[in-house]
C-alpha cells in the first residue's frame, strides 16, 4: 500500500490501479497496457524514493497474467530491468486458492448454513437481541455472527469457529423461531443445526482450516520468515498427507515426488483415516454409526478435501525449489550450528542462485562469504546472549 501523487490516491494492489486507470483511459483495461502502467507506477515510486534498483533481488505477486505472465507482464518488465531477479508467486494468495479448491469438495449446504444464519440475524436488530438472550442463558459470550465471504475462503475458518462456539445457543434459538413463526428459512436452519452430519463438517473444517490460515498468518508476519517458509510448508503438507495416506509412503518418498491423488496410496474409509477429535466423537454416537450411507459420504468427501488441498499445495508451491530449500540454512539456530555445517558447508550454491546479491564472477566475494559462513559457528560463543538466542532472522543477521 502506498500513496502516489501521479495517481492521487492510496494504492493497495494492482486491482486498485486497474480501477483508477480504466476510469481515465479505456485502454488501461487491456492487459499489456495495464501491465505497463503498473510497472511505470512501481518504477516511478522507487525512483522518487531513491531506492536503487540494485537492491531489488526478488518479486512476488499473485499468478494473474498481468502480474506474472510469460509475455508482456509486470514480471517480464522487471526481468528486463533487473536481470537475475528472483520471481515467485505470492504464497499467501496461493494458499487462499488451495483452500478455495478444497472447500468445493464439501456439500454447499455447510456454507449455506453460515450464510443463512448471518442473513437471518443481521437484517433484524430485534432478532439479534432475542438471540443474545439465548447466549446469556447458556453463559456464552454475546457475539455477532460473522459473514462468510464468497471470495475469501480462508475467512471461513473464523466463521466456523464462531458458529461452533455458539452452536447450542443457535440451535435453541432457531428451534424456538421455527415453532413460533413457522418461517421457511428458520425451518431450514433449525433442521441443519439439529443434524449431526452438518455439525461434523463444521468440526472437520474447524480442525483443518486453521492449518492453512496458520501458515497464511505466519507468512504475513512483519518480520522476515524466508528461512522458515520451506520447513513450515513441508511440515504442514506431510502432516495432512498422513491423515489419509499410508504413513510409510509419505515418510519414505521425497516431498516433491508424493502424489496426493494416487488413490492406491490412500487409506481405506475405516477408522484409520484421521478427521480430528471432534469428528471422532460424533462418529462414535450410535445414531450416527447407524446411518452407514451418510457416514461413508462424509468420510469420502472429507478425504477428498484433504487430497485436493494437498494436490493444490503441491501444484502452487515448488517443494523442490532450490532457493527456498537452501534458505532454511539461514535460520539463526541453523546458522550457528556445527552439525548443520555438514549439510551446508558452503553458501556458494545459494549465492549462485541469487546473482543480484553476489556476482558469480566475483570469486573473491564468494570466497569471503564462505569463509565467514564457515567460521560463524566457532564465533557463536563470543556473541552476546541476546544474539545467540535470537529467533528473528532479520534481527539476528543485522546484529
Amino acid at each position: 500500500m502506498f500513496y502516489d501523487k501521479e495517481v492521487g490516491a492510496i494504492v493497495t494492489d494492482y486491482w486498485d490501479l486497474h480501477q483508477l486507470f480504466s476510469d481515465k483511459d479505456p485502454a488501461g483495461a487491456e492487459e499489456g497496457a495495464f501491465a505497463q502502467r503498473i510497472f511505470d507506477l512501481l518504477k516511478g515510486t522507487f525512483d522518487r524514493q531513491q531506492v536503487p534498483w540494485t537492491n531489488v533481488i526478488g518479486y512476488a505477486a499473485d499468478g494473474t497474467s498481468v502480474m506474472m505472465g510469460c509475455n508482456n507482464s509486470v514480471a517480464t518488465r522487471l526481468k528486463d530491468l533487473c536481470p537475475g531477479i528472483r520471481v515467485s508467486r505470492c504464497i499467501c494468495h496461493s494458499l487462499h486458492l488451495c483452500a478455495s479448491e478444497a472447500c468445493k469438495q464439501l456439500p454447499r449446504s455447510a456454507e449455506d448454513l453460515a450464510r443463512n444464519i448471518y442473513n437471518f440475524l443481521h437484517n433484524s436488530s430485534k432478532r439479534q437481541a432475542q438471540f443474545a438472550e439465548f447466549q446469556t442463558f447458556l453463559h456464552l459470550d454475546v457475539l455477532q455472527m460473522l459473514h462468510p465471504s464468497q471470495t475469501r475462503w480462508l475467512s471461513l475458518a473464523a466463521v466456523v469457529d464462531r458458529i461452533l462456539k455458539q452452536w447450542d445457543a443457535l440451535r435453541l434459538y432457531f428451534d424456538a423461531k421455527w415453532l413460533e413463526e413457522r418461517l421457511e428459512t428458520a425451518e431450514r436452519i433449525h433442521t441443519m443445526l439439529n443434524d449431526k452430519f452438518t455439525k461434523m463438517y463444521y468440526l472437520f473444517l474447524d480442525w483443518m482450516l486453521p492449518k492453512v490460515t496458520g501458515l497464511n498468518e505466519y507468512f504475513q508476519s512483519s518480520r522476515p520468515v524466508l528461512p522458515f517458509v520451506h520447513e513450515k510448508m513441508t511440515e504442514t503438507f506431510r502432516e495432512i498427507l498422513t491423515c489419509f495416506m499410508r504413513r510409510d509412503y509419505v515418510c519414505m518418498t521425497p516431498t516433491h515426488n508424493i502424489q496426493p491423488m494416487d488413490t492406491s496410496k490412500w487409506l481405506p474409509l475405516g477408522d484409520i483415516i484421521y478427521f480430528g477429535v471432534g469428528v471422532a466423537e460424533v462418529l462414535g454416537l450410535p445414531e450416527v454409526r447407524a446411518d452407514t450411507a451418510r457416514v461413508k459420504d462424509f468420510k469420502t468427501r472429507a478425504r477428498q478435501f484433504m487430497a485436493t488441498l494437498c494436490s493444490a499445495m503441491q501444484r502452487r508451491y515448488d517443494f523442490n525449489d532450490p532457493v527456498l530449500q537452501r534458505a532454511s540454512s539461514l535460520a539463526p539456530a541453523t546458522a550457528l550450528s556445527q552439525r548443520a555445517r555438514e549439510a551446508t558447508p558452503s553458501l556458494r550454491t545459494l549465492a549462485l542462485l541469487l546473482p543480484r546479491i553476489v556476482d558469480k564472477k566475483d570469486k573473491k566475494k564468494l570466497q569471503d562469504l564462505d569463509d565467514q559462513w564457515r567460521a560463524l559457528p566457532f564465533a557463536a560463543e563470543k556473541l552476546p546472549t541476546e544474539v545467540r538466542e535470537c529467533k528473528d532472522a532479520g534481527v539476528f543477521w543485522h546484529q
Side-chain angles (χ1 to χ4, degrees):
M1 177 185 292
F2 55 90
Y3 180 84
D4 193 273
K5 294 179 180 178
E6 180 183 335
V7 173
I10 292 178
V11 176
T12 56
D13 56 30
Y14 79 89
W15 180 248
D16 285 342
L17 298 178
H18 177 281
Q19 298 293 84
L20 289 163
F21 285 130
S22 60
D23 288 343
K24 295 179 181 180
D25 176 5
E30 192 271 324
E31 281 193 359
F34 186 14
Q36 184 64 50
R37 287 176 182 273
I38 296 173
F39 174 76
D40 289 344
L41 184 59
L42 175 66
K43 186 176 184 302
T45 302
F46 272 52
D47 291 343
R48 281 192 296 278
Q49 298 298 323
Q50 298 183 334
V51 177
W53 285 95
T54 52
N55 284 8
V56 178
I57 64 172
Y59 164 73
D62 61 52
T64 60
S65 57
V66 169
M67 304 303 285
M68 300 292 282
C70 297
N71 300 301
N72 210 12
S73 66
V74 176
T76 57
R77 287 167 171 79
L78 283 171
K79 287 179 180 179
D80 291 338
L81 180 65
C82 308
I85 190 173
R86 162 83 177 172
V87 175
S88 60
R89 290 182 178 181
C90 169
I91 192 169
C92 294
H93 186 257
S94 295
L95 285 171
H96 156 67
L97 295 175
C98 293
S100 175
E101 192 172 335
C103 283
K104 293 177 183 177
Q105 307 307 313
L106 303 183
R108 179 62 185 266
S109 57
E111 185 192 353
D112 287 343
L113 174 62
R115 186 163 286 110
N116 289 339
I117 289 173
Y118 175 83
N119 290 336
F120 190 89
L121 295 171
H122 178 71
N123 295 327
S124 170
S125 57
K126 179 181 177 181
R127 289 173 178 174
Q128 291 178 37
Q130 291 171 339
F131 176 56
E133 294 177 7
F134 282 86
Q135 292 174 306
T136 302
F137 176 74
L138 293 175
H139 305 291
L140 299 172
D141 293 333
V142 178
L143 301 172
Q144 293 187 344
M145 293 298 100
L146 302 176
H147 183 253
S149 170
Q150 290 181 328
T151 58
R152 293 292 174 188
W153 282 90
L154 289 179
S155 69
L156 189 61
V159 177
V160 168
D161 177 69
R162 178 67 56 85
I163 289 178
L164 280 174
K165 287 178 178 177
Q166 302 289 333
W167 193 276
D168 290 338
L170 286 166
R171 184 171 54 79
L172 290 176
Y173 171 75
F174 281 101
D175 285 353
K177 273 294 175 185
W178 173 61
L179 291 171
E180 291 171 6
E181 301 180 13
R182 295 292 178 175
L183 295 173
E184 184 180 347
T185 304
E187 182 181 2
R188 284 200 301 268
I189 298 173
H190 149 80
T191 301
M192 295 192 71
L193 288 171
N194 284 279
D195 178 45
K196 300 293 186 184
F197 288 90
T198 298
K199 190 170 185 179
M200 272 204 300
Y201 282 113
Y202 272 77
L203 291 167
F204 173 72
L205 288 172
D206 192 50
W207 164 67
M208 181 56 63
L209 286 180
K211 298 183 184 303
V212 185
T213 57
L215 285 176
N216 226 355
E217 291 170 3
Y218 182 80
F219 295 149
Q220 292 184 54
S221 169
S222 59
R223 58 190 177 87
V225 295
L226 182 65
F228 311 103
V229 167
H230 189 72
E231 178 185 7
K232 291 287 186 182
M233 285 294 293
T234 301
E235 286 177 355
T236 302
F237 180 67
R238 285 183 172 273
E239 179 193 352
I240 298 172
L241 286 170
T242 55
C243 294
F244 71 97
M245 300 193 84
R246 283 172 24 206
R247 186 173 290 271
D248 61 335
Y249 170 71
V250 174
C251 294
M252 300 299 292
T253 308
T255 306
H256 62 281
N257 286 335
I258 295 175
Q259 301 298 319
M261 302 304 286
D262 183 354
T263 57
S264 67
K265 304 297 189 298
W266 287 6
L267 297 172
L269 288 177
D271 294 335
I272 196 168
I273 295 184
Y274 190 75
F275 300 111
V277 171
V279 171
E281 289 180 355
V282 179
L283 283 173
L285 297 174
E287 64 269 30
V288 173
R289 286 204 310 268
D291 196 340
T292 55
R294 293 190 72 188
V295 167
K296 181 179 180 181
D297 182 64
F298 169 83
K299 290 184 174 182
T300 301
R301 287 177 179 272
R303 182 175 63 179
Q304 191 65 39
F305 176 102
M306 293 186 285
T308 302
L309 176 60
C310 289
S311 179
M313 289 174 67
Q314 190 179 59
R315 199 166 58 249
R316 297 180 183 280
Y317 176 82
D318 184 1
F319 285 98
N320 201 31
D321 186 295
V323 172
L324 292 177
Q325 282 183 327
R326 289 171 173 80
S328 60
S329 63
L330 301 179
T334 307
L336 295 176
S337 169
Q338 287 285 8
R339 180 173 295 180
R341 281 300 177 280
E342 297 177 7
T344 314
S346 168
L347 288 183
R348 177 179 175 276
T349 303
L350 178 59
L352 293 178
L353 291 168
L354 299 168
R356 293 187 64 76
I357 297 181
V358 182
D359 187 343
K360 64 181 180 181
K361 297 179 181 179
D362 193 338
K363 305 299 182 185
K364 184 179 184 307
K365 185 171 287 188
L366 284 170
Q367 187 61 65
D368 288 345
L369 178 66
D370 258 6
D371 288 343
Q372 292 180 27
W373 172 251
R374 294 173 65 85
L376 185 58
F378 294 103
E381 295 181 0
K382 301 176 184 178
L383 295 173
T385 303
E386 62 269 21
V387 177
R388 215 168 43 242
E389 297 178 356
C390 182
K391 299 185 185 301
D392 187 314
V395 173
F396 172 81
W397 286 109
H398 174 73
Q399 294 293 334

